[in-house]
Amino acid sequence: MAKIVILTGAGISAESGIRTFRASDGLWEEHRIEDVATPEGFMADPGLVHRFYNARRAAAAAAAPNAAHRALAELEQDGRHEVLVVTQNVDDLHERGGSANVIHMHGTLTGALCHSCGHRWSAPAEMAPRDPCPACQKPATRPDIVWFGEMPYQMEEIWTALRAADLFVSIGTSGNVYPAAGFVADAGHAGVPTLELNLEPSAGSRYFDEARHGPATAIVPAWVREMLG
Ligand code: BV8
């Protein structure tokens, strides 16, 4: 069975109505990364950060998986390939699209974390700074999201899978944020063939063996049909 590692970013959820980060109408147009996506920003104004993620949690809940999410699930369920999706996305559209083997390297909107005792639980729709941790009762609740300057989740597992892969595919990501943006180089160094599927060339496009550009709902199902012959 061919082992395929697929990195996804905000672009795969764009056609589900979820805003990307760096587009002209992207999230970073309205919010300073420092204010809403860093531990320092959270300590400075936890209310602002909770409101930012409460709005994204509502947007993700109102969205539906698209043909690109479903195509990746079909490739996994077909069973002839060992498929691992490593997503930078904090929405749950891969799982709702039918993918089972998914790593959220930057966390999830559906998770809550106590920054005092480390306890994790399912996030309510709305979170606020005064919410007590169900374990230690301290008002230390934060979204279970990896912010800038923080260590992404399951990195050892991801690097092991990358090095052992038969193919690395990157979908809907601009290649600006590390360590994810370095995966194509890591895969290349391990002799793994690499393919980019993105609306436009990403910052790391030149590092890929092959690149196909277009909307994810068109180019991802076409690639999966090829893989399934
Ligand atoms: C860390 C959660 C130590 C929050 C996120 C090396 C060099 C320089 C800097 C660094 C470096 N190493 C580390 C850094 C610092 C930093 C970093 O990379 N800074 C950047 C800005 C320079 N990285 C970190 O702090 C990371 N932590 O490094 O810890 C370490 C190091 C090594 C090993 C272990 C530990 C933590 C970063 C995680 C931060 N959290 N998200 C939230 O979601 O709110 S990052 C967030 O931004 C996303 O998760 C994602 O990762 C990134 C956004 O990127 P994309 O998803 O690609 O979205 P974008 O809008 O940019 O692009 C969309 C793309 O889709 C475009 O290309 C577009 O063309 C395409 N597209 C659009 N529509 C479609 C489409 N494609 C197809 N179809 C469409 N319809």
Side-chain angles (χ1 to χ4, degrees):
M1 274 218 291
K3 295 185 184 68
I4 307 175
V5 173
I6 303 171
L7 173 70
T8 65
I12 199 171
S13 294
E15 295 163 88
S16 293
I18 297 198
R19 296 165 65 188
T20 65
F21 294 84
R22 286 173 178 72
S24 55
D25 64 345
L27 285 165
W28 297 151
E29 294 308 307
E30 278 166 38
H31 306 277
R32 284 170 7 103
I33 288 180
E34 296 78 8
D35 297 343
V36 294
T38 65
E40 298 77 18
F42 181 71
M43 288 310 168
D45 188 344
L48 171 72
V49 174
H50 276 304
R51 287 192 297 279
F52 175 67
Y53 285 103
N54 289 346
R56 295 195 39 211
R57 200 172 293 110
N66 61 50
H69 297 107
R70 292 194 297 274
L72 296 185
E74 193 191 338
L75 181 64
E76 181 187 325
Q77 287 154 13
D78 172 84
R80 283 175 288 168
H81 303 85
E82 195 180 306
V83 177
L84 170 64
V85 172
V86 177
T87 188
Q88 300 166 82
N89 300 344
V90 293
D91 66 55
D92 59 351
L93 295 183
H94 280 300
E95 290 87 351
R96 287 161 51 197
S99 286
N101 208 10
V102 182
I103 291 178
H104 285 267
M105 70 179 292
H106 292 163
T108 62
L109 289 166
T110 53
L113 168 67
C114 175
H115 62 76
S116 176
C117 74
H119 178 65
R120 283 187 161 84
W121 65 102
S122 297
E126 295 278 318
M127 294 165 76
R130 65 183 174 285
D131 293 356
C133 162
C136 72
Q137 304 315 317
K138 287 205 181 80
T141 300
R142 60 168 277 181
D144 189 7
I145 301 267
V146 176
W147 288 321
F148 288 90
E150 296 185 321
M151 177 74 146
Y153 294 155
Q154 297 174 258
M155 285 308 299
E156 286 315 316
E157 210 176 325
I158 294 168
W159 273 321
T160 303
L162 262 179
R163 282 191 288 268
D166 299 297
L167 178 63
F168 171 69
V169 183
S170 177
I171 302 174
T173 185
S174 61
N176 289 302
V177 174
Y178 289 78
F183 291 170
V184 59
D186 302 328
H189 294 144
V192 176
T194 57
L195 168 65
E196 171 174 87
L197 302 175
N198 209 49
L199 187 63
E200 61 207 348
S202 72
S205 205
R206 64 189 179 286
Y207 299 118
F208 286 84
D209 299 312
E210 184 187 353
R212 303 180 189 177
H213 299 123
T217 57
I219 61 176
V220 175
W223 169 69
V224 168
R225 278 196 297 277
E226 252 178 56
M227 293 301 290
L228 297 180

